[in-house]
Amino acid sequence: MSADDWLNHILWDDKGLVPAIAQDYKTGQILMMAWMNQESLKLTQQEQRAVYWSRSRARLWRKGEESGHVQKLHSLHLDCDADVILLKVEQMGGIACHTGRPHCFFKRLHDGQWLEEVAVVKDPKEIYTHE
């Protein structure tokens, strides 16, 4: 049995990806969803910080590499169908979303409209200075 045998238990999609949900390890708040490939998941486990696969950039993306809002890994979980990863993390800096909010799920459907329920903590222009 190889040291990376645990990766073979995951049902990767046809592009070699699996959805990954980041959850605050203390509060249970869902912070964000992203994608991982085998390399990013292996690096997440090795580095004890969230490393995702950016589909738009087609490259590895260490959460916080530009913003400083690193996700420190506390534990990894695999769902019952082996096709979704859950990362329980400590969100450094309190901002997980590129919009400058604490999490990405800030819109709630109400009377057929999406209402923004969570305020921006920090303007993304101040977070991402070179975009």
Side-chain angles (χ1 to χ4, degrees), residues 84-127:
V84 178
I85 299 292
L86 174 68
L87 295 85
K88 292 190 180 186
V89 300
E90 179 180 356
Q91 180 63 60
M92 310 310 281
I95 298 173
C97 185
H98 72 278
T99 65
R101 291 176 173 86
H103 57 82
C104 296
F105 296 94
F106 57 88
K107 295 178 184 180
R108 179 177 62 91
L109 186 62
H110 180 75
D111 291 335
Q113 298 199 17
W114 292 105
L115 303 177
E116 293 185 3
E117 294 189 317
V118 178
V120 171
V121 174
K122 188 171 185 179
D123 186 330
K125 292 177 186 158
E126 297 174 27
I127 298 170

Side-chain angles (χ1 to χ4, degrees), residues 21-92:
I21 298 167
Q23 179 183 40
D24 185 286
Y25 84 105
K26 283 186 181 175
T27 68
Q29 172 69 54
I30 300 298
L31 302 174
M32 59 176 276
M33 179 272 174
W35 295 91
M36 298 181 118
N37 62 11
Q38 284 197 19
E39 183 181 9
S40 66
L41 184 53
K42 185 176 176 180
L43 287 169
T44 294
Q45 191 270 332
Q46 288 174 348
E47 297 178 13
Q48 293 295 292
R49 66 174 282 185
V51 181
Y52 300 107
W53 176 258
S54 172
R55 294 180 307 164
S56 60
R57 298 178 192 138
R59 67 170 180 85
L60 291 173
W61 157 50
R62 284 171 171 78
K63 178 69 176 155
E65 67 188 18
E66 294 176 22
S67 66
H69 301 140
V70 171
Q71 291 176 343
K72 180 181 173 188
L73 184 67
H74 279 257
S75 60
L76 280 173
H77 304 262
L78 182 62
D79 80 321
C80 59
D81 294 323
D83 61 359
V84 178
I85 299 292
L86 174 68
L87 295 85
K88 292 190 180 186
V89 300
E90 179 180 356
Q91 180 63 60
M92 310 310 281

